[in-house]
Amino acid sequence: WLIGLVQLVVMFLFGALVFDVPIFRAPAALFVLSLTVAAATTGFGILFAVLCNTRKQLEGFSTIVVLTMSACGGSWWPLSITPEWFQFLGHFTLNAWAVEGYQKIFWYEQGLFDLGPQLGVLLAIALGTTLVAWPLWQRRVRI
């Protein structure tokens, strides 16, 4: 989780310096959203790790899932230019919720209290993936 958070900090500092991304417009919102995004991605990582038996299996599985979620969730192109059914499908990914949250902060000048749906879904993903991974890990340790 901490490594993911550090990566987000570095990415946003780079974006601010090179592309003039307004990261200080709503710093509390950016910080809380980034904490939540890092938690959701960590939850997925833990779940993937316990679902796979080998490192090679994890590499292949995670690559397919991450690329699919990125394509469907708005990381490659804005969901707003896609058909309504694709936007609906995209919201089954954490990417869509994260991108929406960051867009609210950077482009729509919204703050922490405007991020309720995004924070809620990302926290649910973090908690849900971790809660699913925990018993799987416990079972693996016993075997």
Side-chain angles (χ1 to χ4, degrees):
W1 171 79
L2 191 57
I3 291 171
L5 188 58
V6 169
Q7 289 174 335
L8 285 168
V9 168
V10 169
M11 180 179 66
F12 286 124
L13 286 174
F14 181 83
L17 293 171
V18 176
F19 300 109
D20 203 29
V21 175
I23 63 171
F24 298 110
R25 179 175 290 152
L30 180 60
F31 182 68
V32 171
L33 181 61
S34 295
L35 288 173
T36 311
V37 169
T41 56
T42 299
F44 260 103
I46 292 168
L47 180 60
F48 290 175
V50 298
L51 288 175
C52 298
N53 295 318
T54 66
R55 184 175 290 231
K56 277 293 188 195
Q57 190 179 41
L58 176 61
E59 289 171 3
F61 178 67
S62 63
T63 299
I64 290 169
V65 172
V66 168
L67 290 176
T68 302
M69 285 182 17
S70 296
C72 294
S75 296
W76 291 357
W77 51 76
L79 281 180
S80 60
I81 67 167
T82 63
E84 201 169 301
W85 66 266
F86 194 89
Q87 293 175 34
F88 176 78
L89 179 69
H91 281 86
F92 285 95
T93 69
L94 72 90
N95 299 57
W97 296 98
V99 168
E100 266 184 15
Y102 289 123
Q103 285 176 337
K104 281 184 170 184
I105 295 168
F106 298 136
W107 314 139
Y108 302 117
E109 300 183 17
Q110 295 181 353
L112 181 59
F113 298 108
D114 301 305
L115 299 176
Q118 291 76 27
L119 293 174
V121 170
L122 290 166
L123 282 172
I125 290 169
L127 188 61
T129 53
T130 303
L131 289 175
V132 169
W134 181 254
L136 295 173
W137 171 251
Q138 293 291 67
R139 193 175 104 195
R140 178 177 284 185
V141 170
R142 277 183 270 152
I143 293 177

